[in-house]
Amino acid sequence: MRITRSRWLKTGLPLAAAAFLLAAGPGVSARAGAPAQPPRPPAQITPDLAKLLGQIKQADSGLLAVSEEDGRFLRVMAAASRSKRALEIGSASGYSTIWIGLGLRETGGRLVSIEYDAARARQAADNVRRAGLSDIVQVVQGDAFKVIPKLPGTFDFVFLDAWKKDYRRFLDMVLPRLDGGGVFLAHNVVNKGKDMPDFLDAIERYPNLVTSIVTPSGEGISISYNRR
Ligand SMILES: C[S@@+](CC[C@H](N)C(=O)[O-])C[C@H]1O[C@@H](n2cnc3c(N)ncnc32)[C@H](O)[C@@H]1O
């Protein structure tokens, strides 16, 4: 298991990831009552960034990346939820990662994004660097089932976009570490809903979760709010 930012680092995971996440400050629950911070300027979609996003899509022969509409939605959700400690499961080449990172640019938050495939993780880290988001996003290469237990603390924003049959297991693994007021988003809940009936059932039935499903581009994103 290795950690990538602008290049592969040799640092051990728990220490490096802990320092990276802690740099963002406390999550939602610990922020309650804290003095409001001045808003940060929004990250601009410069022509270079638009070009990079287009290049990632063009190179995505396996059609793994979310649509641009879904990416824009993730950005808005990360910014509007004032997320500080975000987690992405399934970076692929970093397309959704960059959109979430742009949202976090406005909140002062940090994102750890986990990708199993080593080549994709390298690409994701490189694309994050090219997007100018290396100070916000850390790509961790490894199996998220093994990486997540080693990450410190709690999360206030989670985006799940790994293999669909694993969604319920990831929900059950992460939910105890989702802050009160935090959001858990999952991709493809409409177009691949038949592959995750247990997950869809859980997000509707768990008493602490309030769920809505939106379809910016038809694939479907569930947003579950933790009212704990
Ligand atoms: C649909 S793609 C993600 C697309 C990405 N979110 C985007 O929009 O650009 C799913 C990715 O999840 C990764 N993946 C699947 N299971 C995983 C696991 N257990 N741990 C880490 N990554 C995993 C796959 O290797 C694949 O690259």
Side-chain angles (χ1 to χ4, degrees), residues 118-131:
R120 281 185 214 137
R122 273 195 298 274
Q123 255 174 2
D126 192 45
N127 287 330
V128 162
R129 180 190 57 75
R130 292 172 67 197

Side-chain angles (χ1 to χ4, degrees), residues 5-29:
R5 287 180 73 176
S6 54
R7 59 190 170 82
W8 295 93
L9 300 178
K10 293 197 177 97
T11 332
L13 171 66
L15 197 62
F20 187 76
L21 284 169
L22 290 173
V28 166
S29 52

Side-chain angles (χ1 to χ4, degrees), residues 3-62:
I3 300 173
T4 63
R5 287 180 73 176
S6 54
R7 59 190 170 82
W8 295 93
L9 300 178
K10 293 197 177 97
T11 332
L13 171 66
L15 197 62
F20 187 76
L21 284 169
L22 290 173
V28 166
S29 52
R31 282 205 320 275
Q37 301 207 335
R40 292 171 170 78
Q44 299 299 323
I45 310 285
T46 60
D48 279 353
L49 183 51
K51 188 172 162 195
L52 172 64
L53 288 166
Q55 285 171 345
I56 299 172
K57 282 298 245 186
Q58 243 180 357
D60 182 26
S61 52

Side-chain angles (χ1 to χ4, degrees), residues 8-9 27 38 55-56 60 78 98-99 101 107 121 123 134-135 146 151-152 157 174-175 188 201 203 206 211:
W8 295 93
L9 300 178
Q55 285 171 345
I56 299 172
D60 182 26
I98 289 173
W99 283 109
T107 70
Q123 255 174 2
S134 297
D135 57 328
K146 295 182 181 152
L151 295 175
F157 179 102
V174 172
L175 202 51
N188 301 115
D201 185 58
I203 55 175
Y206 280 1
T211 295

Side-chain angles (χ1 to χ4, degrees), residues 43-100:
Q44 299 299 323
I45 310 285
T46 60
D48 279 353
L49 183 51
K51 188 172 162 195
L52 172 64
L53 288 166
Q55 285 171 345
I56 299 172
K57 282 298 245 186
Q58 243 180 357
D60 182 26
S61 52
L63 300 179
L64 294 177
V66 301
S67 67
E68 180 178 337
E69 293 85 347
D70 287 3
R72 288 178 180 276
F73 181 78
L74 291 171
R75 177 191 188 178
V76 168
M77 284 300 296
S81 64
R82 309 312 299 164
S83 170
K84 287 282 192 184
R85 296 168 46 84
L87 172 70
E88 179 180 50
I89 307 170
S91 346
S93 300
Y95 186 79
S96 54
T97 317
I98 289 173
W99 283 109
I100 297 168

